[in-house]
Amino acid sequence: MDKEFDPPVVIARENRAGRRTIASAWEALEWLRLRRPACTGPRYRSAVRICRDVLDGLRAPPDARRAFISAAREVGRRVF
């Protein structure tokens, strides 16, 4: 079962105008997977692990939200 972010995370799109909204741990995990192997830093790895833990019910959605924001910033994305 997916776990929603409250509020959703809005990030700048790569190399183009516009923004993308990430509303859940599942969406965050998918976004992170699409960036691999371009981003493999410690925040990326931590965010993947935490998102999986949230989806498995081991952690709370705010943990995944914070980790995702940190990983997005690690690869230079603006977060709104």
Side-chain angles (χ1 to χ4, degrees):
M1 176 181 240
D2 199 3
K3 310 294 180 167
E4 301 292 320
F5 289 165
D6 184 28
V9 178
V10 180
I11 59 172
R13 291 189 180 267
E14 186 176 13
N15 297 326
R16 58 184 160 189
R19 298 176 180 177
R20 175 157 181 208
T21 300
I22 305 295
S24 68
W26 179 257
E27 289 180 18
L29 188 56
E30 287 299 303
W31 187 90
L32 291 164
R33 285 180 178 165
L34 289 173
R35 264 83 205 142
R36 192 173 177 222
C39 55
T40 58
R43 293 178 184 163
Y44 167 85
R45 291 188 305 272
S46 177
V48 168
R49 185 178 62 253
I50 291 170
C51 285
R52 287 180 181 156
D53 285 350
V54 167
L55 292 171
D56 288 341
L58 302 173
R59 295 183 77 152
D63 296 338
R65 186 180 185 279
R66 281 189 299 275
F68 174 73
I69 289 170
S70 183
R73 288 181 174 150
E74 182 179 54
V75 296
R77 291 300 180 89
R78 289 181 54 200
V79 179
F80 304 96

